[in-house]
Amino acid sequence: MNPVRVLFTEHAETDLKELETSLRKYFLKHVEKISLQLPRRHMRFGVPFFVEEVTRQSRLVYEVKEDTLYIIRCFATHKEYEKWYASFK
């Protein structure tokens, strides 16, 4: 499969800037991996996004529309991710 176009939302860009450099590299590497093999695990409760574990604690939330991969949010800790995810329930 050919790589798709990748776009970061403002929230995702801000999240990435706040991450430690080493963790940021993991996220960017995961984005590259996802762009080559779409999609993975879909979120539950009618949330229209996919989620990917970057490390044991960190999560990457994204959406796929046609030939574009939208990075919605990047969470350094599972606690931050759960708080965001709970807002959809």
Side-chain angles (χ1 to χ4, degrees):
M1 177 180 227
N2 293 332
V4 296
R5 183 170 58 149
V6 178
L7 296 175
F8 289 82
T9 64
E10 287 183 40
H11 282 293
E13 286 180 1
T14 302
D15 294 340
L16 274 176
K17 289 176 186 176
E18 293 175 357
L19 295 175
E20 296 176 13
T21 305
S22 60
L23 188 55
R24 187 178 311 123
K25 288 179 184 178
Y26 277 115
F27 272 93
L28 295 175
K29 194 165 189 108
H30 241 74
V31 168
E32 183 179 333
K33 178 180 151 185
I34 294 168
S35 72
L36 297 173
Q37 23 176 294
L38 298 173
R40 305 293 290 272
R41 190 175 94 203
H42 200 277
M43 297 178 78
R44 295 184 289 177
F45 301 112
V47 180
F49 307 123
F50 293 89
V51 63
E52 183 81 20
E53 287 184 18
V54 176
T55 65
R56 272 186 95 200
Q57 290 292 314
S58 58
R59 302 288 185 274
L60 176 68
V61 178
Y62 61 98
E63 183 177 25
V64 180
K65 289 186 180 178
E66 297 177 19
D67 64 344
T68 305
L69 171 66
Y70 295 93
I71 306 302
I72 306 299
R73 295 295 304 263
C74 303
F75 297 100
T77 66
H78 187 68
K79 188 176 183 178
E80 293 171 358
Y81 164 74
E82 284 293 323
K83 184 178 177 183
W84 174 82
Y85 183 52
S87 69
F88 288 99
K89 293 181 182 179

